Amino acid sequence: VACCWRAGACSVTKHVPQGSYLLTRNDIRIERNRELSKQERVTKADLEEFVRQHPTQRLLGTNFYLWAYNSSNPKRKNTWWNRFKRKIGKAPVLLDSSLTARSSQAMKIYMDGKGFLQSEAWFRVDTAGKRARVTYFARQGDPYRIGKIGYRFRDRSLRPVVLSDTASSLLRTGGIFDGNVLNDERSRIASFLKNRGYYNFSINNISYVADSTAGNRTVNLTMVVKRYMAGYTAEGEATLDDNRIYRIRNIYIYPDYNPSAAVSDSLYESRLDTLDYKGLKIVYDTRSKVRAEILRRTISLYPNYLYNADEVKRTYENIMRLDYYKSASILFSEAEGDTLLRDNRITYIGQSQDSTGIGEASYGTEHYLNCTIFCTPALRQGYSLELEGTTSADYFGIAATVGYQNRNLFRGVELFDIKVRGGYEFMRVKQKRNSFELGVSTSFSFPRFITPLRIDRYNRAFNPRTKVEVSYSVQRRPYYHRTLASGVWGYTWGNGKNSTFVLRPADISVVKLRQIDTAFLEQLQNPYLRNSYESQLIAGLSGSYIFNNQKINTERNSLALRFNFETNGNLIDGLSHLFGR
C-alpha cells in the first residue's frame, strides 16, 4: 500500500515542466486586531474570494483527478480511453507568480474598501521538489470611522423627501467607513424614491464627499443628491432639471402577444382590438384567451397611481406565477405633452419649519407614464407518455402513464391535469396469478380562492391558488383485490418572500377491500400493516408550512424547512353532529 501511494504521489508531478511548480495548497493567515469586535473583523472566507489560483480539486483526500489526467498523456495515442480519462480528470494547476501577487493586492484593496485604510497583505511561496504551497498574510489596520454626516441637495425638491427617512439610513456616526455600506445606502435611497414616483432616479444621482482632515482616523461624510440630467443642448452640454414625479396614465396589456407575428405579419396591428376594463386597456387579436377579471386581479397597477417600482415587480411576479405565460415584460414610456400638475405646492409634514410655522415646501411638476405589458403564453396544451419496467426474482412488470395538461381550460388560467396509469405484472411462479393495476387521477388548479365567502382582498394580497384533486385506482394482486379513491380540496398562498402556506380543509381517502387471502392477512404481525389491508374511510384536515430563503440570501447559507400537520376524523365527526349519525 505504501509503494502504491508513493507511486501515485510521484505521478502527479511527473509531467510538470522543469522550473515550474505544482500548486498544492493555499493558506490564509490574518493578524487579528484585538480592538475590533467580532463583527468588524475580516475573516478567511472573505479573503478566499480574492484568491485567483486554486489547487486541483481532490477526491477523498487523494489526487485522483490529477492522476487520471496525467495518465492520459497527450503524446500517446488519442484513443477513446485516453479521452475518457482526460474528461473525468482535471489538469494540473502550475504556480503563476503574477496571479499570486494580484491575489494579495486584491485582498488589500478589499480591506481598504472596508475602511481599514492602513491594512497590509503579502504572500510567501514554499517549494519542495516540484510542489509549491502559497501562504497569504493579511494585517487588518485600525479602521477609519464616520464622523459627521451631512447632506447637500442640488435638487432642493428632494430635501424633505430624503430627510423624512433618515431613521432607516445605513450610515451611523461612529460606524466604519465601509465602501459597501455607502453603496448600499445609495441603493436604499434610490429604491425609496422609486417607490414614490421618481421613475428616473438612480444611484448615479447620489455621490459622496469624504473629508479625512478631522484627524484621529475620522471621516466627515457629505451625501450629494444631484439633479436629473434631462438631455443635451445643441452645443453638447448637459441640461439639468429637478427630478420628476410620475403617475401612471394608461395601462396597455397584450395578454396573447406573439412577438414573431408582430415582426413578420404586416397586418398584425390592424387586427388588434382594445377592451377597457377597470383601468386596463386589454389589446387582443379576435378574442382574448384570458378573461378580463383574471388580468385585473393579477395586475396591481392602476391609472393615476404614483409610479412604484415594488408594485411593478409584484405585477411581473404575479403574471409569472399564473404558470400560463412563458415570458412577460413591463415597459414604461413618458407621455409627451401630458404634464399633470405644473408647479404644484407639496408640503411635507414633520420636516423643518420656517418662521411662519408652515412645514417645508417645494415646487415641482408631476408627469405621466404610459405602461405597456407584453405577455407571451406558453403552449396551452401538453401531452406526456411515461413507460416503466420493473423486474425481480419472482416477477417482471410493465407500466404506462398517459397524461394531458391544459393551462387555460375556461379562459381563467385554470390548470387542468389528468393522468391515466395502467400496469401489469407477470409472476414467474406458476401457482401464483398475475396482477394488474389501473388508475386515473385528475386535478384542477385555480389562481384564486374559491370559498363560500367573498375574500377578494386576500386574492390580491397573497397570490392564492385553489386546487382540487381526485383519483381512483383498482388493484388486483395475488393476495388481495381492492379499490382506492381520494379527493382533496386545498388552498395555497404565500407572503411574497420566503413563506408558503398550504391548507387542505377536505382530505378524504377511501379504501374498499374486495377480496383478501386470510392466510396472507394472518401472517402480518404489525397492526399498522394489518390495518392498511382493511376497508376504511379517512376524512380529515391537513396542511403544511414551507420556509425557503434560497432566493433571498444568495451569498449566504440558505435554509429550507417544511412542517406538516394532519388530523383525521374531524370532518366526519363534524358532519355527524350536524346531520346526525
Side-chain angles (χ1 to χ4, degrees):
V1 175
C3 293
C4 294
W5 181 85
R6 290 186 179 181
C10 294
S11 64
V12 296
T13 59
K14 181 178 180 180
H15 300 287
V16 175
Q18 190 66 28
S20 298
Y21 298 93
L22 177 69
L23 180 61
T24 59
R25 185 171 178 177
N26 288 326
D27 288 328
I28 297 177
R29 299 180 182 178
I30 303 176
E31 295 185 13
R32 300 296 183 187
N33 189 332
R34 303 296 181 182
E35 297 181 1
L36 298 177
S37 64
K38 185 177 180 180
Q39 292 76 14
E40 295 176 341
R41 294 174 183 173
V42 174
T43 65
K44 290 184 179 180
D46 295 331
L47 299 183
E48 282 177 356
E49 298 181 6
F50 302 97
V51 177
R52 300 175 182 269
Q53 199 175 30
H54 297 274
T56 305
Q57 185 179 355
R58 298 170 65 88
L59 177 64
L60 300 177
T62 68
N63 291 313
F64 172 78
Y65 296 116
L66 190 55
W67 170 85
Y69 185 89
N70 286 338
S71 64
S72 63
N73 190 348
K75 296 181 181 180
R76 299 177 182 176
K77 294 182 179 180
N78 190 25
T79 62
W80 71 269
W81 177 238
N82 285 334
R83 291 195 300 270
F84 173 74
K85 288 190 290 185
R86 284 195 293 270
K87 185 175 181 179
I88 65 174
K90 297 183 183 299
V93 178
L94 302 181
L95 178 66
D96 188 334
S97 300
S98 63
L99 293 179
T100 306
R102 289 168 61 185
S103 301
S104 177
Q105 183 182 11
M107 293 179 184
K108 174 174 172 49
I109 293 175
Y110 170 76
M111 291 186 289
D112 289 344
K114 295 287 291 183
F116 306 97
L117 301 181
Q118 296 178 348
S119 299
E120 295 180 276
W122 66 98
F123 65 92
R124 185 186 71 210
V125 178
D126 298 316
T127 60
K130 292 186 177 182
R131 299 168 181 267
R133 175 178 176 178
V134 180
T135 304
Y136 294 95
F137 299 90
R139 180 182 295 115
Q140 194 173 352
D142 294 328
Y144 278 66
R145 298 187 180 275
I146 299 176
K148 297 179 180 179
I149 302 175
Y151 296 86
R152 184 183 304 163
F153 292 92
R154 295 177 181 173
D155 182 350
R156 297 181 61 84
S157 65
L158 288 180
R159 178 182 178 86
V161 186
V162 174
L163 295 182
S164 67
D165 192 46
T166 53
S168 304
S169 176
L170 304 178
L171 304 179
R172 295 287 186 271
T173 298
I176 295 180
F177 182 67
D178 189 339
N180 293 330
V181 177
L182 299 183
N183 286 330
D184 291 342
E185 176 65 5
R186 295 168 66 203
S187 299
R188 187 196 68 81
I189 294 178
S191 299
F192 176 78
L193 294 175
K194 277 183 171 291
N195 291 334
R196 283 154 181 80
Y198 292 91
Y199 169 71
N200 287 321
F201 196 89
S202 70
I203 61 174
N204 296 326
N205 292 68
I206 300 176
S207 63
Y208 295 99
V209 176
D211 182 9
S212 59
T213 59
N216 197 25
R217 295 191 301 275
T218 300
V219 179
N220 293 329
L221 201 61
T222 301
M223 177 184 291
V224 181
V225 181
K226 305 175 185 178
R227 304 179 75 192
Y228 166 66
M229 189 175 68
Y232 295 90
T233 63
E235 293 76 17
E237 297 180 358
T239 58
L240 301 178
D241 194 2
D242 287 346
N243 290 275
R244 299 173 176 179
I245 296 177
Y246 288 90
R247 293 184 182 273
I248 299 176
R249 182 180 183 183
N250 297 314
I251 303 174
Y252 299 93
I253 178 170
Y254 294 72
D256 308 300
Y257 183 67
N258 187 339
S260 300
V263 174
S264 60
D265 190 352
S266 59
L267 301 178
Y268 179 75
E269 294 187 2
S270 63
R271 295 196 306 267
L272 299 179
D273 200 355
T274 303
L275 170 67
D276 288 334
Y277 182 83
K278 295 184 178 180
L280 290 181
K281 295 183 181 297
I282 304 173
V283 185
Y284 59 92
D285 182 5
T286 63
R287 183 192 183 192
S288 177
K289 295 183 177 61
V290 180
R291 295 200 303 269
E293 57 268 25
I294 301 297
L295 298 174
R296 179 69 280 177
R297 185 183 295 116
T298 303
I299 298 172
S300 58
L301 303 176
Y302 289 87
N304 209 36
Y305 274 32
L306 285 175
Y307 172 83
N308 189 311
D310 284 348
E311 288 298 330
V312 175
K313 179 182 177 182
R314 180 180 175 185
T315 295
Y316 174 80
E317 293 175 347
N318 288 344
I319 293 174
M320 300 308 297
R321 286 196 189 105
L322 291 176
D323 200 22
Y324 174 65
Y325 294 104
K326 65 179 181 181
S327 65
S329 59
I330 304 177
L331 306 178
F332 288 90
S333 60
E334 187 171 354
E336 299 180 358
D338 285 325
T339 301
L340 175 64
L341 295 173
R342 185 175 297 277
D343 296 336
N344 63 317
R345 184 180 180 90
I346 306 173
T347 302
Y348 297 90
I349 302 175
Q351 302 303 315
S352 60
Q353 297 182 347
D354 55 24
S355 58
T356 62
I358 301 176
E360 182 179 359
S362 63
Y363 293 88
T365 58
E366 296 184 358
H367 296 258
Y368 275 126
L369 288 173
N370 286 329
C371 175
T372 305
I373 305 174
F374 296 99
C375 302
T376 303
L379 290 177
R380 181 177 179 180
Q381 302 182 80
Y383 305 88
S384 63
L385 174 62
E386 300 176 12
L387 299 177
E388 180 182 346
T390 57
T391 182
S392 71
D394 296 330
Y395 70 90
F396 65 91
I398 57 173
T401 303
V402 180
Y404 168 76
Q405 186 180 74
N406 192 310
R407 299 176 183 271
N408 191 24
L409 189 62
F410 303 120
R411 296 179 56 238
V413 198
E414 305 92 351
L415 179 60
F416 172 71
D417 197 345
I418 183 171
K419 291 183 179 180
V420 179
R421 175 182 172 84
Y424 198 88
E425 294 179 353
F426 302 89
M427 306 296 295
R428 297 179 178 178
V429 184
K430 293 185 177 180
Q431 61 268 27
K432 297 296 183 180
R433 292 175 297 176
N434 298 333
S435 61
F436 73 89
E437 179 179 353
L438 183 65
V440 59
S441 62
T442 182
S443 65
F444 271 99
S445 181
F446 303 88
R448 59 190 181 278
F449 279 148
I450 300 179
T451 63
L453 304 176
R454 292 181 59 87
I455 51 175
D456 291 342
R457 181 168 64 91
Y458 297 98
N459 277 326
R460 294 192 298 269
F462 301 110
N463 186 37
R465 275 195 172 273
T466 301
K467 190 172 185 178
V468 183
E469 300 177 81
V470 179
S471 64
Y472 181 84
S473 64
V474 178
Q475 295 179 346
R476 186 184 181 93
R477 298 284 190 266
Y479 299 107
Y480 62 89
H481 301 166
R482 66 178 179 178
T483 58
L484 301 94
S486 66
V488 178
W489 184 290
Y491 303 103
T492 303
W493 70 98
N495 65 349
K497 295 181 179 179
N498 47 33
S499 295
T500 302
F501 304 88
V502 181
L503 178 63
R504 293 176 285 269
D507 192 344
I508 303 174
S509 298
V510 180
V511 179
K512 180 65 175 178
L513 198 68
R514 303 293 182 181
Q515 180 183 348
I516 190 169
D517 188 333
T518 55
F520 167 75
L521 183 63
E522 290 176 357
Q523 73 177 3
L524 298 177
Q525 301 299 324
N526 190 322
Y528 179 81
L529 291 179
R530 290 178 60 89
N531 185 64
S532 64
Y533 289 99
E534 296 179 359
S535 296
Q536 52 190 296
L537 168 65
I538 303 173
L541 178 146
S542 62
S544 304
Y545 169 72
I546 304 168
F547 176 88
N548 191 335
N549 65 353
Q550 291 177 332
K551 295 182 179 180
I552 298 177
N553 298 331
T554 56
E555 298 180 356
R556 299 182 180 179
N557 295 332
S558 57
L559 179 65
L561 297 173
R562 182 185 184 97
F563 299 94
N564 298 321
F565 73 90
E566 179 179 0
T567 64
N568 288 320
N570 59 292
L571 181 61
I572 296 179
D573 184 67
L575 293 176
S576 66
H577 281 80
L578 185 62
F579 299 106
R581 302 294 297 182

